[in-house]
Amino acid sequence: MSTITLSSKYQIVIPKDVREKIQLKIGQKIVVIAKGGMVHLIPERSVDSLKGFLKGMGTEDLREDEER
């Protein structure tokens, strides 16, 4: 677990090990969500980067059979 310090301008620096682990890039947008007294930082991903992430997923068993 890494600790960061809030600057006088309310800025933070994301530690290098965290940046590398989640593959952050310079200029990348990050969504900030405040919920339950916590702040969540979620990297935006381009649509292109999502290509193929469902590869191999089948469509069977997604819904229960409907009996009519």
Side-chain angles (χ1 to χ4, degrees):
M1 182 166 71
S2 300
T3 302
I4 58 174
T5 303
L6 189 63
S7 78
S8 61
K9 293 183 180 183
Y10 297 95
Q11 297 172 329
I12 61 170
V13 174
I14 300 171
K16 183 178 181 181
D17 61 321
V18 175
R19 294 190 313 259
E20 290 175 347
K21 186 175 184 179
I22 61 174
Q23 301 173 352
L24 290 178
K25 305 291 183 222
I26 294 172
Q28 183 174 358
K29 303 285 185 184
I30 298 176
V31 178
V32 180
I33 299 172
K35 185 175 182 180
M38 298 177 74
V39 176
H40 302 269
L41 304 174
I42 304 166
E44 280 189 353
R45 302 283 183 209
S46 69
V47 174
D48 291 337
S49 73
L50 300 175
K51 183 178 179 182
F53 86 101
L54 293 176
K55 186 177 182 177
M57 180 179 171
T59 57
E60 56 279 343
D61 299 325
L62 290 178
R63 295 185 181 178
E64 294 179 14
D65 292 332
E66 293 183 20
E67 295 183 24
R68 293 183 184 207

